[in-house]
Amino acid sequence: MDEYTPKERLARALRGETVDRMPAISVTQTGTVEQMEACGAFWPEANEDAEKMAALAEAAHTVIGFEAVRVPFDITAEAEFFGCDIKAGTKEQQPSVVGHIVKSIEDVEKLKDYEINNGRVGVVCDAIKILAEKYGDELPIMASMLGPFSLAQHMNGDDWFMAIMTDEEFGFALMELTTEFNIAYAKKMVENGADTMVIIDPTASAMLIGDEFYQKFVVPAHKKIVDAMRELGVATVLHICGDTTPSLGLMESSGVDAISVDQNVDVATALSKVDRAVLVGNLDPVSALWKMTPEDIKKVSKGILESGVGLLGPGCGIVSKTPNANLQAMVEMAKSHKY
């Protein structure tokens, strides 16, 4: 079988095509303290400065061995872009959303005129350009963004879960704003060199809102993003937290190329729920990747690989204190796996 560059290998794997071996990647955030110490780029500055963001993303390749570079490291830049209050992160902790800005359709209307290059959203795009200029011919340039449903929840607060059930006009108006923003943001990241798009939509869970509302609010939004990316030749990966087993068919109906499943999902069962989407996952980022020894991680990885996962990776974002050796053990297992 032919050998491929990492860029070719991942593209083929996400399309379900034959490859020489499994790509070694993480579709979720890759930054850790040990990598920061190795490259000299630390949070929170690496969340706010394009050069430092690119340097820390590069460390996932040069230090850990991941066969892709990926930005950003947190999921708050989109909400900050629209004016939500953000609690600043630290070297070990990511920033979080603490204040919301949308209560009505009138509030939504006021946010429609925006410039996609502003704020940390613009920083992420600049970091992608830096990485693409250095690695774009060989490595996948993986971009990630908070998905439209979770962005709407950040903007509206916990009232959002009730709003979609009691005020559909408002719900659809806010989802239209966030979805169109996601498309514009994704296109800008692709323009700057991204070739793989990860949609992180943690609260867009059918387990939280039910199949009816997932079908009504989430599937159409994800499909619009996926369709826009497919027109540009960009593969898409969708990650939603929790046990998504019952809703994998709904998730796949958006047309995504791959679905990232977390540690609560049984991969063998999940495979029976999808027709064509590649499954990514699902090493526990806390009890396995952070807490276990490299040898134990290899054993757990072996079980996940034997269950038939399409791409081995973390079940959610990598914990910042995760040792390099543990991530390297996961990478070794992926690289040694023949389909």
Side-chain angles (χ1 to χ4, degrees), residues 66-78:
F66 283 127
E67 298 176 298
V69 286
R70 180 200 183 281
V71 291
F73 309 106
D74 73 302
I75 54 171
T76 65
E78 298 84 356

Side-chain angles (χ1 to χ4, degrees), residues 81-312:
F81 177 86
F82 281 108
C84 293
D85 292 332
I86 305 296
K87 179 183 177 181
T90 67
K91 184 176 77 171
E92 297 180 353
Q93 188 173 32
Q94 295 176 340
S96 58
V97 176
V98 295
H100 316 291
I101 57 166
V102 172
K103 295 183 178 180
S104 66
I105 290 180
E106 289 72 26
D107 292 336
V108 174
E109 290 296 321
K110 294 174 184 176
L111 296 171
K112 287 187 174 181
D113 184 19
Y114 53 79
E115 172 53 57
I116 204 69
N117 292 319
N118 289 342
R120 283 201 294 131
V121 163
V123 171
V124 173
C125 293
D126 290 343
I128 288 171
K129 188 172 183 179
I130 293 168
L131 292 165
E133 288 175 349
K134 186 169 185 177
Y135 290 108
D137 291 338
E138 181 180 359
L139 291 182
I141 309 298
M142 194 177 295
S144 172
M145 62 183 179
L146 184 67
F149 189 88
S150 299
L151 176 54
Q153 190 265 319
H154 274 174
M155 295 168 73
N156 186 227
D158 288 341
D159 291 343
W160 175 239
F161 299 106
M162 183 61 68
I164 62 171
M165 301 177 189
T166 61
D167 190 350
E168 285 194 355
E169 183 181 5
F170 168 70
F172 283 126
L174 184 51
M175 281 298 293
E176 180 181 8
L177 172 67
T178 57
T179 303
E180 291 307 311
F181 164 79
N182 275 137
I183 293 170
Y185 184 23
K187 286 182 175 179
K188 183 65 178 180
M189 289 191 278
V190 173
E191 179 184 322
N192 280 25
D195 53 57
T196 309
M197 187 62 57
V198 183
I199 305 164
I200 307 286
D201 219 346
T203 60
S205 170
M207 295 294 287
L208 290 176
I209 62 175
D211 288 357
E212 176 187 352
F213 289 97
Y214 187 94
Q215 180 74 57
K216 187 180 294 185
F217 284 93
V218 181
V219 173
H222 287 172
K223 188 176 187 305
K224 287 179 181 178
I225 299 169
V226 170
D227 288 348
M229 293 297 94
R230 183 162 289 125
E231 288 181 5
L232 298 174
V234 173
T236 50
V237 183
L238 173 62
H239 178 85
I240 294 176
C241 297
D243 184 359
T244 54
T245 306
S247 55
L248 286 169
L250 277 174
M251 293 169 67
E252 185 182 41
S253 70
S254 65
V256 291
D257 296 293
I259 298 172
S260 169
V261 294
D262 92 355
Q263 57 274 8
N264 293 300
V265 173
D266 177 75
V267 171
T269 303
L271 285 168
S272 70
K273 304 290 185 180
V274 296
D275 293 324
R276 48 151 204 87
V278 174
L279 291 187
V280 185
N282 63 342
L283 276 163
D284 192 313
V286 177
S287 65
L289 286 173
W290 178 19
K291 299 289 188 178
M292 286 185 178
T293 66
E295 288 307 311
D296 285 338
I297 287 169
K298 289 178 183 179
K299 293 176 185 177
V300 176
S301 296
K302 185 174 185 290
I304 294 172
L305 291 167
E306 289 175 348
S307 71
V309 73
L311 290 167
L312 181 67

